[in-house]
Amino acid sequence: MPFGKPRAERADAVRNREHLLKTAREMLAECGADKVTMDGLAERACLGKGTVFRHFGTRAGIFRALLDADERRFQEQVMSGPPPLGPGAEPIDRLIAYGRARIAFLLDHHVIARAALDRNQPAPVGDPSVTQLHIRVLLQQGAPMPNIAGVAIQLTAALEGPLLLYLSRPDTDANETAEIYDLLADAWQTLIERLTR
Amino acid sequence: MPFGKPRAERADAVRNREHLLKTAREMLAECGADKVTMDGLAERACLGKGTVFRHFGTRAGIFRALLDADERRFQEQVMSGPPPLGPGAEPIDRLIAYGRARIAFLLDHHVIARAALDRNQPAPVGDPSVTQLHIRVLLQQGAPMPNIAGVAIQLTAALEGPLLLYLSRPDTDANETAEIYDLLADAWQTLIERLTR
DNA sequence: CTATGAAGCGGGGTAAAGTCCGTTTATGCT
DNA sequence: AGCATAAACGGACTTTACCCCGCTTCATAG
């Protein structure tokens, strides 16, 4: 029997994983991210602790899994949604729209994204290479410049860094959030416009 | 007796803190960052665990303290060293030099800086406001633009993000390190030059 | 339908972070 | 010097992430 189909995933495993994610989302909504403990989650889901670890590997893995679902939806908008975020608009306009949407996404998912950070792991949010690659391609199309690869890395960080590293304030109300969004989204636009002039 | 002098720090406390930092540095050099545990450090320093926590608050605090010393030296170079990093050169040249120096610094301190990240804490590396403020001032002088504050935040992230978030590979040899440095430093220069054209 | 083997499950065990509080000690004052 | 006091110390205790391995359950072949 070849590698191609290493046997489908067991039905109970699928059921349990979904149940765990649902439970995790509940706990997250009720008590905040750092009240979501592995034991607590296992108990509330009426499953063994080992099961939780089998599915997610580490605590951060749970949050990564929670992000993934939304992340997939986000990337769908980018790949096949309406312009300017989706295909059809000018590369530079798409790049600006991408940044704005991404900042909004990260603000929304800020708590989860940060909880998905892991002491010893390359990258937390989504697959950074997806964002990075997208930026790189659009940049290449809209404004070729030397060292596109490096610039794309840094623009990725410019987008995701502030929300993961510097503005990690759980005590942010809706008003402030809107302000932060405007600040960063406008800054992103400035950055891209001047960069690609 | 007013607030001004709430009593000098006790001599034994100073001695112990320095001894702890020295011991931590030794353990770090010998076994790597994640072998530096609070219990281990306390035992090796022949002090109680409570003492370690009194001085550093959290595990990440130890690494923050280790960074601080070098960080101070770095900022000194920026504030009063020779140009173009120090004062005297054109703002844009200083900005480019700052980025290059900062990238080198973070590559050197990459392991410590990452270990200084804390699950629930605003910012890990140095005082981000120092880097941010410096970038902002130089940008203002050299190339005024709308939303300088926001752009400065994002440029700060562009500088520190890659090394904290994306390139966290402990298995990097000297050769690769040099490559990464060139990639990012050149990218930074491109970014700034095009941004301030 | 049953056998079988692999995938999944459970929960006790370990190690490390962080808390607490009773005890010790440096320091400044008399 | 002796004393009062706040600071510092120590280490037991609690909580939590993560490991491990024997047991159970599902899916497939016969």
Side-chain angles (χ1 to χ4, degrees), chain B residues 28-156:
Chain B
L28 187 60
E30 282 173 27
C31 333
D34 45 36
K35 287 290 177 52
V36 178
T37 73
M38 301 306 258
D39 296 278
L41 177 57
E43 188 177 3
R44 176 147 170 178
C46 301
L47 290 169
K49 192 165 34 155
T51 305
V52 180
F53 277 93
R54 151 168 303 267
H55 283 299
F56 303 112
T58 71
R59 190 189 119 95
I62 293 176
F63 295 97
R64 222 171 318 127
L66 286 177
L67 259 189
D68 265 7
D70 294 358
E71 188 86 45
R72 224 185 311 282
R73 237 177 298 142
F74 177 80
Q75 293 300 340
E76 231 164 74
Q77 290 295 307
V78 174
M79 308 243 282
S80 55
L85 186 56
E90 287 298 302
I92 302 306
D93 293 334
R94 286 194 74 193
L95 196 49
I96 290 171
Y98 183 82
R100 287 189 169 271
R102 189 74 189 156
I103 288 166
F105 178 86
L106 285 171
L107 269 176
D108 275 356
H109 294 78
H110 165 245
V111 173
I112 300 182
R114 212 177 141 78
L117 275 171
D118 195 336
R119 260 217 289 140
N120 12 334
Q121 196 129 19
V125 180
D127 199 336
S129 63
V130 172
T131 285
Q132 222 177 91
L133 192 65
H134 192 240
I135 288 178
R136 182 149 130 201
V137 169
L138 290 178
L139 211 55
Q140 182 80 64
Q141 291 173 356
M145 65 181 70
N147 206 353
I148 289 261
V151 173
I153 290 177
Q154 289 186 326
L155 288 180
T156 304

Side-chain angles (χ1 to χ4, degrees), chain A residues 59 114 118-119 121-122 128 145 147 150-151 154 157-158 160 162 165-166 168 183-184 186-188 194-195 197, chain B residues 59 114 118-119 121-122 128 145 147 150-151 154 157-158 160 162 165-166 168 183-184 186-188 194-195 197:
Chain A
R59 191 188 119 94
R114 213 178 141 78
D118 196 336
R119 264 222 281 139
Q121 196 130 17
M145 65 181 71
N147 205 352
V151 172
Q154 289 186 325
E160 319 220 317
L165 296 177
Y166 305 117
S168 61
L183 179 76
L184 290 178
D186 290 350
W188 172 258
R194 295 192 62 113
L195 188 64
R197 232 173 348 171
Chain B
R59 190 189 119 95
R114 212 177 141 78
D118 195 336
R119 260 217 289 140
Q121 196 129 19
M145 65 181 70
N147 206 353
V151 173
Q154 289 186 326
E160 320 220 317
L165 296 177
Y166 305 116
S168 62
L183 178 76
L184 291 178
D186 290 350
W188 172 259
R194 294 191 62 113
L195 188 64
R197 227 168 359 167

